[in-house]
Amino acid sequence: MKVLKFGGTSVGSVGSIKTLLDILKAEDKPQSRPVVVLSAMGGVTNLLIAMAEGAANGKEFTAELAELEKRHFDVVKALLEVQNQNPAFTRLKIHFNQLEELLQGVLTLRELTPKTRDQIVSFGERCSALMVGKIAAQHFEDVLFVDASELIKTDSAFGNAKVNSELTNMLINTFYQQHKNRLMIVTGFIAGNDAGQITTLGRGGSDYTAAIFGAALNAEEIQIWTDVNGMMTADPRMVQKAFPLEELSYTEAMELSYFGAKVIYPPTMIPAFLKKIPIVIKNTFEPVFAGTVIRHDCKSSTLPIKGISSINNISILNLQGSGMVGKSGFSGRLFSLLAREQINIILITQSSSEHSITFAVQPQDVEKAKQVIEQEFELELLANKLEPLVIESNQAILAIVGENMKQTPGMSGKLFHALGRNGVNVRAIAQGSSEYNISVIISATDLSKALNAVHDAFFIELTKTLHAFCLGTGNIGKTLFAQLNAHKDYLQKNNGIQVKVVGISNTRKMVFNSDGLSLDTWQDELQESTHEADLPGFIAKMKELNLPNCVFIDNTASPKPVEFYEDAFKANVSVVTCNKIGNSASLAQYQNFRDTARRHGVDFFYETNVGAGLPIIRTLKDLMSSGDRIQRIEAILSGTISFIFNHFKGDDNFHDVVKEAQEKGYTEPDPRDDLSGKDFMRKILILARDAGHEIEEADVSIESVLPKACLEAKTVEDFYAALKAEDAFFTDLKNRAESEKKVLRYIGKLENGKASITLQMVDENHPFYMLSGSDNIISFTTDRYRERPLVVKGPGAGAEVTAAGVFADLINVGAN
């Protein structure tokens, strides 16, 4: 036979009770009728407690009691045939009258004792079991309502009574043998003492009732019917990717439950554990789903951990001082004191020097713990052998659990890497020698981020999520969003990465969605946003959302976003940028960005600073990290200037070629921004710094392509006029090059720590001779590539290739 327990949501409405009856029809067999244990209707226990505590404080309860009565009566009216309703109404009314008398007594006396409290809250289960029993009698033969307080016997520790197992087992077995052919509907949560007074079994008491009956009757299995598909890998309210586990060992389930997994509670499992009875967690609202089986003989699992559990709000107390060192019995004295005062300790950790002890308690126990500790250790505190007790509130516990942890190296490293990379500070650590559990105490404000980051780190079969905050919606920004949208399925399948764009801003508007903005409709959402663009506000919102694995993407050419890179790094947010200004400003800023990113364990990727989507910076870093030494770098790194000199031949004049380049979108609105060599200089400067040279902008020697009159022209129109006037100068350059069978190339060079950009004539033996279109090219001469330099060549401009470079940097963040 089986014991089936249904939680509050399973009996919480007309629809859920109908589903419950369908489940019972599938499980009810003549030769082995199940025992059914019921909780109170969802929310009823909390309401009863609130009414009782309110009455003790002088608050009227009539309205709440009427609502409670109506809720039960409405179910009876909906599910019981008219001729069967009056007996149910009568019995329920008797219960509500008794409840009213109790509450009136509390209101009159302004006193709520634990015994009275248990009596009041017992009406939740008594009413639900009575009601469902009457309804079930219409569908099943021989339904029997069972008041568990007559069978489960406990001491008189009201609120959390201890079960007399021997007597309880005898009573249950005797009762079952007398009625085993009947379908028993049993009240969960409640029990009775020797005096016949109602007691309750504490947190998870209805589950405990089911386990007590299951163990007493040697049931085949105990089913816990709830509103989720079993034990989850993490709290699904915080971790959207959490998924149900197929099976767990008793130890794993107890560890997960102890540290906050609310599907089942540790005491529930003890009777089943002793009898090796499987516990199955099932979903009332999806009964076909297999759920989670908790058993002693789990099959081996490939998962490194089974789950991540958490306690959302705890306080930690830290006691330290020289008076603890080598003091035999100090810990025993401390914890015996707390045990006497019934202060439950959730987690303990002690330094190896014995100089400090840190322990976690529930927030409501903090003041009492502080008071009794200061009284107990008054002399040590006065003698300065102990420092004043330090209390930290608003903390949380995160624990990873699994039997495989003890045979899998690197579990701690993976946990702390995931936390550290996301800026989650660990206040205390605890791990038992069994290695079933590693627990950490962190700030409660970081719990959601930490859970998601750790879940992503351990469950490698799931897609890892990056949360991107993007500045700039020009050509590069738009193209990046289009590429992310077009390749999202490929990215998930082949890289195991999902990119959620959660923030977008341009110079006019900004918009946010922590669940991810649609890359199909982002332009409409941005346009309709009521948030005016505000760069400090954008950064503040990014920090406030406190999401895991965040990336700040700068697709602008403005100096303003650069001012916030350091803030992003300090918030443990990686930065991906195609904006050259940050790396080509002062050397101190360049070094600070790298040092800050490294110190906070995040990435700073800027491949598109040089050569758009070409792998130039990555190639340079790979050469250097592999121990090669750079002798010389030569490069053409301006797509604009490359286009101009590749087309400046034959009968074409320089003025017309520059004009064509501008019309094709290769130049800035003012072509002098390109032809002055300023943009080229920034790229050479970045390469020089990445190659290990500490140089400033002023150290780069630039030979201007343009005569002085062109540079000094007041407007773009004046510039073109001056350019036409200098036609003879440029034609002479072209003719000289052609007469020597050479071509004009504007080449940057880094050698012996010196950086320069010059206009040169090169022949067919030079690797830059055959350049075409707007291509960039770079040549690395190194110790390993001395005779034949390493050459990287390809498109160095354009939204598609630049966005692709940003995309690639984003994937590299995901890989880390």
Side-chain angles (χ1 to χ4, degrees), residues 373-384:
I373 289 170
E374 288 176 346
Q375 288 173 354
E376 177 73 19
F377 297 101
E378 182 179 8
L379 294 177
E380 288 88 340
L381 288 163
L382 288 172
N384 293 322

Side-chain angles (χ1 to χ4, degrees), residues 91-153:
R91 291 288 302 277
L92 285 171
K93 192 62 181 174
I94 291 170
H95 282 326
F96 287 120
N97 288 342
Q98 292 171 341
L99 175 59
E100 184 177 14
E101 290 175 5
L102 282 168
L103 290 168
Q104 190 60 53
V106 173
L107 181 64
T108 302
L109 296 172
R110 298 289 197 275
E111 181 184 25
L112 179 63
T113 65
K115 179 166 71 173
T116 305
R117 183 190 178 102
D118 274 6
Q119 182 79 8
I120 289 170
V121 297
S122 73
F123 282 98
E125 274 70 19
R126 289 156 76 186
C127 287
S128 70
L130 171 65
M131 179 180 69
V132 174
K134 293 289 186 184
I135 296 166
Q138 292 186 154
H139 303 272
F140 302 91
E141 292 182 359
D142 292 328
V143 174
L144 177 64
F145 167 79
V146 181
D147 185 342
S149 66
E150 298 174 2
L151 300 178
I152 299 178
K153 293 302 175 181

Side-chain angles (χ1 to χ4, degrees), residues 127-296:
C127 287
S128 70
L130 171 65
M131 179 180 69
V132 174
K134 293 289 186 184
I135 296 166
Q138 292 186 154
H139 303 272
F140 302 91
E141 292 182 359
D142 292 328
V143 174
L144 177 64
F145 167 79
V146 181
D147 185 342
S149 66
E150 298 174 2
L151 300 178
I152 299 178
K153 293 302 175 181
T154 69
D155 61 13
S156 297
F158 297 100
N160 194 12
K162 184 179 179 181
V163 176
N164 180 337
S165 299
E166 188 175 346
L167 176 58
T168 295
N169 288 347
M170 183 191 73
L171 290 172
I172 290 174
N173 268 298
T174 301
F175 185 85
Y176 180 78
Q177 291 304 319
Q178 294 169 353
H179 304 284
K180 63 181 178 182
N181 293 324
R182 306 184 73 179
L183 179 64
M184 299 182 197
I185 307 292
V186 183
T187 55
F189 183 50
I190 63 174
N193 62 12
D194 291 339
Q197 297 165 325
I198 294 286
T199 60
T200 58
L201 300 175
R203 185 181 177 211
S206 292
D207 292 351
Y208 195 15
T209 302
I212 291 168
F213 269 81
L217 301 174
N218 292 309
E220 178 189 339
E221 69 180 28
I222 299 165
Q223 296 180 358
I224 307 293
W225 289 85
T226 179
D227 56 0
V228 292
N229 283 335
M231 292 280 275
M232 309 289 279
T233 50
D235 186 341
R237 294 168 300 178
M238 293 190 183
V239 182
Q240 290 184 355
K241 296 178 188 174
F243 59 91
L245 293 157
E246 183 181 342
E247 65 175 16
L248 291 165
S249 70
Y250 289 117
T251 304
E252 290 170 332
M254 288 172 74
E255 292 277 3
L256 285 169
S257 300
Y258 179 74
F259 283 99
K262 294 180 175 60
V263 174
I264 196 168
Y265 299 94
T268 302
M269 285 174 277
I270 294 171
F273 179 87
L274 295 173
K275 291 287 187 76
K276 297 184 178 179
I277 300 170
I279 300 173
V280 186
I281 314 296
K282 302 269 287 180
N283 188 346
T284 303
F285 307 99
E286 199 175 334
V288 295
F289 193 85
T292 301
V293 181
I294 302 168
R295 64 178 68 189
H296 76 284

Side-chain angles (χ1 to χ4, degrees), residues 465-585:
T465 301
L466 294 179
H467 294 96
F469 294 82
C470 303
L471 285 184
T473 58
N475 287 337
I476 296 171
K478 286 179 183 175
T479 307
L480 175 63
F481 294 152
Q483 290 177 355
L484 286 170
N485 201 22
H487 296 93
K488 60 186 177 185
D489 293 337
Y490 178 88
L491 199 57
Q492 289 191 30
K493 182 179 178 182
N494 294 277
N495 297 79
I497 293 171
Q498 175 190 27
V499 178
K500 284 187 179 180
V501 177
V502 294
I504 299 175
S505 179
N506 55 24
T507 56
R508 299 172 300 281
K509 296 281 190 73
M510 60 184 186
V511 65
F512 301 92
N513 186 335
S514 58
D515 292 326
L517 294 158
S518 168
L519 294 181
D520 291 313
T521 60
W522 68 268
Q523 288 175 291
D524 294 334
E525 292 182 60
L526 184 62
Q527 181 65 34
E528 293 165 7
S529 173
T530 57
H531 297 288
E532 297 297 321
D534 172 24
L535 189 50
F538 187 83
I539 302 299
K541 184 68 174 179
M542 179 176 74
K543 293 180 182 178
E544 178 194 327
L545 288 173
N546 202 26
L547 297 167
N549 306 322
C550 284
V551 190
F552 176 56
I553 301 175
D554 179 9
N555 284 325
T556 75
S558 167
K560 293 180 181 177
V562 176
E563 299 171 13
F564 295 93
Y565 287 6
E566 187 175 357
D567 280 353
F569 294 138
K570 287 180 177 177
N572 290 86
V573 176
S574 294
V575 174
V576 169
T577 180
C578 60
N579 188 340
K580 293 181 282 291
I581 295 172
N583 284 319
S584 60

Side-chain angles (χ1 to χ4, degrees), residues 605-642:
F605 291 144
Y606 47 89
E607 183 63 70
T608 49
N609 278 194
V610 179
L614 295 177
I616 292 173
I617 288 174
R618 193 168 298 118
T619 300
L620 173 59
K621 289 185 174 180
D622 286 348
L623 287 170
M624 296 190 64
S625 62
S626 65
D628 205 352
R629 192 170 65 89
I630 307 297
Q631 296 181 357
R632 181 172 64 256
I633 295 175
E634 290 181 289
I636 295 174
L637 296 174
S638 168
T640 303
I641 297 177
S642 180

